Amino acid sequence: MTDQSPAAAGPAPSDFIRDIVAADLAEKRQSRIVTRFPPEPNGYLHIGHAKSICLNFGIARENGGICNLRMDDTNPAKEEVEYVDSITADVAWLISGWADHCLGLKPKGRTPGSVVSEGRADSYLGPAAPGEPSEPFFASDYFEQLYAYAVTLIEKGKAYVCDLSAEETDAYRGAPDQPGRDSPWRNRPVSENLDLFARMRAGEFPDGARSLRARIDMAAPNVWLRDPLLYRIRHTAHHHAGDKWRIYPLYDYAHCLSDYLEGITHSICTLEFVDHRPLYDWILENLGLPRALPHQYEFAKLMPTYTVVSKRKLIELVRDGIVSGWDDPRMPTISGTRRRGIPASALRRFVTGVGVTKFRSLTDIALFEHAIREELNATAARRLAVLRPVKLVLTNIAPGEVVECQATDNPQDENPTMRVIPLTREVLIESDDFAEVPPPKYFRLRPGGEVRLKYACIIACTEVVKDAQGGITELRCTADLSTRAGGENAARKVKGTIHWVSATLCAEAEVRLYDRLFTVPEPAEEEDIRKCINPNSLETVVAKLEPSLADARLEERFQFERLGYFSLDPVESKPGKPVFNRTITLRDQWAK
RNA sequence: UGCCUGGUGGUGUAAUGGUAGCACAGCAGAUUCUGACUCUGCUUGUCUAGGUUCGACUCCUAGCCGGGCAGCCA
């Protein structure tokens, strides 16, 4: 349950929201911190959500609190069970081994119960006890309670049923720089409002015929205070609540009260909700609730370069078949990230490393790549694999002879383990590790030149064999076995060391090489994102692998030396027919 | 011309009245049986103008520039 990664060993993050939390604790405004992560189940989670998850769970974790996972499902037209399942799985994966103990789930099937707070009737829904059957919280589980609160608002003269159409409502709202006008239904008697609202619930009116509105101020400078809608009529079944509702609450109304019902202390969201905060507070304050009220705080969402993080654009990529699905390894979704082989710890390190501010920043994706490499460099087992092979014959090794070479699994370990790789007469090397006419400063193999075969010995190229078209068919070399580890010339230096595999004793696999999906730093700013799709974002090759890779397991992470980090594709790799994904290349100064 | 919000190197982020620091990126070098990792060095910054102060990224005033807001979406 403890995180052994370097990121966890470092100092706890600090930002303006954590400062507020710390002050609330120090000044006893709160005794226990409860945050929440409230996605709408209408799409898959992406790395932008990962920042919010790590912020909310991180704050809970650092303060001995919990973070509720809540489906913000108040719009039945857009939401699906598929999404609640993927969201639940993605959150579990991201926090696994780091904040599992902070995950707030509710008792399965439970809705808010009656409690007494400060001597007054109240409602509350807390998290499930350990071991108890549980599921995420759902805003739709609060519909009954939300309805009761709405009745209270009506009784207090703070809400009314409005008969204006959607278009009329827009017109009456005015513009940001000019006040709106009161709805003609604004001063409807309480009894009539109560009756109409009950009949809205009963399904007596068609979609859009009426709405329930807060009675605030049509001249408010903040447009969200101009009698915002609380409920709309929707004759639609709900994926979680079933078919018993004909009216559904809107976000602004449902969210603050969901927070209250769960005893949330700090409701953390992104910047676009700043304008809604006065409404968040208005609803809670005007209900005269007995317990301490939650407070909303806003931060800037994560916007990485060379990708998009908007559900609408992500949905387009999936729908238009530009990627294979939500979990395509090129997608910035959490499921795509996972399938790509990126460790959850690397994603966490990245999203917490960028910090939390109110500045709308563009984060260089290189920060993510760095976090991935840092994590994988420390943990991935080194292996040899050749992506684009060219044959090389070691003329002084007899056919059938096998020279066993000791190879280090991970030089980053204090006591690295070893394995054996077979060297045979015929080996395969990377085609661009040989150059007939080498560019300046090229220190790999060339005609008449020398290079070391990693973990084996130094070889010298004696002959380049070509076919009739001039294509290279094989390289003939001599191996200096005295330069093997332990040999009398083991210390001999040559400029280059290259990777290789035996041509006769090797495994084979499909390897998928990924590159960034977009060619421009800010694809979201383009008029049409299809025009800046990187045509080379996926290249598939059939690679030759050292024999041990035939036994690779799904959860293992490898560094194919000098190439990058790889792991098995969890969806399409099959026993006997392995498929590897390249998670990321190694940093490459030479390529620049 | 309404309301909200924000401006620190190329990017992100610290410094909350006391030496502008860190990470990434870039460049140069060292090291290397991975052109990886590691190590060293370097380039580049407080939006502007006033004011307060011994001293201002920080406080005040006025500007400038950017982002968001008028869904019966969240």
Side-chain angles (χ1 to χ4, degrees):
Chain A
M1 202 90 116
T2 51
D3 190 348
Q4 303 296 328
S5 75
S14 167
D15 54 66
F16 77 99
I17 295 178
R18 277 181 244 248
D19 288 348
I20 290 167
V21 171
D24 286 345
L25 248 16
E27 289 155 34
K28 310 259 190 261
R29 278 187 293 273
Q30 306 289 353
S31 56
R32 180 148 194 248
I33 300 303
V34 185
T35 57
R36 105 265 94 114
F37 173 64
E40 182 188 15
N42 68 343
Y44 277 60
L45 261 24
H46 53 66
I47 58 183
H49 293 111
K51 177 176 178 181
S52 177
I53 293 169
C54 289
L55 213 210
N56 280 293
F57 280 91
I59 288 174
R61 179 180 183 271
E62 292 149 26
N63 295 284
I66 63 164
C67 175
N68 289 352
L69 170 60
R70 176 167 82 223
M71 300 300 153
D72 208 356
D73 56 350
T74 57
N75 186 351
K78 294 188 172 181
E79 298 149 8
E80 295 173 26
V81 178
E82 176 197 351
Y83 297 128
V84 347
D85 294 341
S86 73
I87 288 168
T88 306
D90 288 348
V91 170
W93 175 76
L94 219 211
I95 68 171
S96 174
W98 173 67
D100 315 67
H101 57 297
C102 301
L103 175 59
L105 298 173
K106 64 147 191 166
K108 197 162 175 56
R110 192 79 55 83
T111 58
S114 296
V115 294
V116 175
S117 304
E118 305 290 317
R120 294 157 59 196
D122 194 15
S123 297
Y124 173 74
L125 179 59
E132 185 180 10
S134 61
E135 63 183 340
F137 290 82
F138 288 85
S140 56
D141 284 334
Y142 311 149
F143 284 172
E144 198 61 56
Q145 192 59 49
L146 259 23
Y147 181 86
Y149 284 135
V151 168
T152 302
L153 245 21
I154 292 172
E155 287 168 346
K156 291 181 169 215
K158 294 181 186 286
Y160 63 96
V161 172
C162 180
D163 298 0
L164 254 27
S165 69
E167 297 70 35
E168 291 167 328
T169 305
D170 276 351
Y172 273 76
R173 188 156 32 231
D177 55 351
Q178 45 186 287
R181 289 142 49 213
D182 285 0
S183 161
W185 312 102
R186 197 169 198 265
N187 294 314
R188 205 123 60 177
V190 169
S191 57
E192 191 178 328
N193 283 324
L194 253 16
D195 173 60
L196 254 16
F197 189 47
R199 290 164 60 192
M200 281 168 63
R201 174 177 183 166
E204 287 189 28
F205 314 116
D207 287 6
R210 293 184 219 263
S211 62
L212 184 75
R213 294 231 252 164
R215 197 165 182 274
I216 308 179
D217 177 8
M218 288 306 291
N222 180 340
V223 295
W224 289 102
L225 258 20
R226 321 243 263 226
D227 290 10
L229 271 78
L230 269 23
Y231 272 90
R232 79 283 230 184
I233 298 173
R234 283 283 176 279
H235 291 260
T236 306
H238 187 280
H239 67 91
H240 183 75
D243 59 1
K244 62 184 185 199
W245 291 92
R246 298 292 171 270
I247 55 172
Y248 291 93
L250 278 105
Y251 167 83
D252 288 294
Y253 179 68
H255 202 90
C256 54
L257 288 167
S258 299
D259 285 344
Y260 177 79
L261 288 168
E262 294 173 21
I264 302 298
T265 56
H266 301 261
S267 183
I268 302 164
C269 60
T270 47
L271 251 26
E272 63 265 35
F273 294 102
V274 171
D275 294 323
H276 298 236
R277 194 192 328 131
L279 178 54
Y280 182 103
D281 293 334
W282 185 94
I283 292 167
L284 292 173
E285 285 163 8
N286 282 276
L287 243 13
L289 299 163
R291 276 181 292 126
L293 303 179
H295 288 280
Q296 176 183 304
Y297 305 93
E298 313 87 9
F299 69 97
K301 66 170 62 160
L302 175 67
M303 289 190 297
T305 54
Y306 295 100
T307 189
V308 292
V309 280
S310 98
K311 273 185 199 164
R312 215 195 91 243
K313 294 208 165 68
L314 258 19
I315 265 180
E316 275 177 46
L317 295 174
V318 174
R319 199 225 307 126
D320 298 349
I322 291 169
V323 294
S324 65
W326 285 99
D327 67 346
D328 186 298
R330 293 165 293 181
M331 288 284 272
T333 50
I334 291 182
S335 53
T337 297
R338 176 171 59 231
R339 186 170 167 189
R340 175 104 169 220
I342 295 169
S345 54
L347 216 203
R348 274 186 253 130
R349 181 195 291 256
F350 167 56
V351 299
T352 83
V354 298
V356 180
T357 67
K358 296 175 95 112
F359 177 59
R360 293 181 154 266
S361 53
L362 229 205
T363 300
D364 193 338
I365 196 69
L367 257 54
F368 190 22
E369 297 173 343
H370 178 258
I372 297 166
R373 292 190 181 109
E374 195 158 50
E375 205 68 36
L376 258 15
N377 177 50
T379 55
R382 312 290 126 122
R383 291 293 182 266
L384 298 187
V386 177
L387 265 22
R388 298 174 180 85
V390 65
K391 190 163 91 172
L392 187 153
V393 180
L394 297 169
T395 51
N396 59 329
I397 292 182
E401 184 182 351
V402 176
V403 179
E404 294 196 338
C405 300
Q406 291 286 325
T408 306
D409 285 327
N410 189 341
Q412 306 288 320
D413 293 343
E414 313 91 87
N415 300 304
T417 51
M418 306 291 283
R419 67 187 188 287
V420 171
I421 305 177
L423 176 69
T424 54
R425 177 180 171 87
E426 294 190 351
V427 304
L428 270 6
I429 66 167
E430 208 66 62
S431 61
D432 48 68
D433 281 340
F434 174 81
E436 198 166 16
V437 185
K441 293 208 185 136
Y442 184 87
F443 46 79
R444 280 113 92 162
L445 195 61
R446 66 180 73 192
E450 279 190 322
V451 80
R452 179 178 281 279
L453 294 183
K454 178 94 184 185
Y455 302 126
C457 61
I458 293 173
I459 60 168
C461 181
T462 54
E463 188 185 350
V464 180
V465 182
K466 298 182 181 178
D467 58 24
Q469 284 76 245
I472 296 172
T473 54
E474 70 178 45
L475 270 12
R476 299 180 75 81
C477 304
T478 54
D480 180 355
L481 268 356
S482 73
T483 58
R484 295 180 64 205
E488 69 266 34
N489 294 317
R492 220 185 107 203
K493 306 262 185 244
V494 283
K495 194 68 180 160
T497 298
I498 63 174
H499 58 278
W500 56 277
V501 298
S502 161
T504 43
L505 298 172
C506 66
E508 192 176 275
E510 176 178 332
V511 175
R512 297 175 181 173
L513 308 171
Y514 299 103
D515 196 0
R516 46 181 62 143
L517 231 199
F518 295 97
T519 55
V520 297
E522 290 186 78
E525 297 300 303
E526 301 294 308
E527 68 298 332
D528 181 3
I529 60 169
R530 304 150 143 282
K531 293 203 174 107
C532 54
I533 299 285
N534 177 4
N536 305 314
S537 63
L538 169 61
E539 185 189 357
T540 301
V541 298
V542 176
K544 301 291 186 178
L545 319 169
E546 67 166 80
S548 70
L549 250 8
D551 306 319
R553 286 173 289 119
L554 212 50
E555 65 277 13
E556 288 182 293
R557 296 292 173 271
F558 302 102
Q559 182 196 102
F560 291 177
E561 295 209 38
R562 304 210 308 133
L563 295 172
Y565 297 98
F566 297 75
S567 62
L568 288 175
D569 185 287
V571 178
E572 294 180 22
S573 191
K574 299 281 178 284
K577 197 170 182 314
V579 176
F580 282 91
N581 289 326
R582 181 175 68 194
T583 306
I584 193 165
T585 59
L586 252 31
R587 203 159 154 262
D588 188 356
Q589 292 290 328
W590 169 253
K592 288 173 184 169

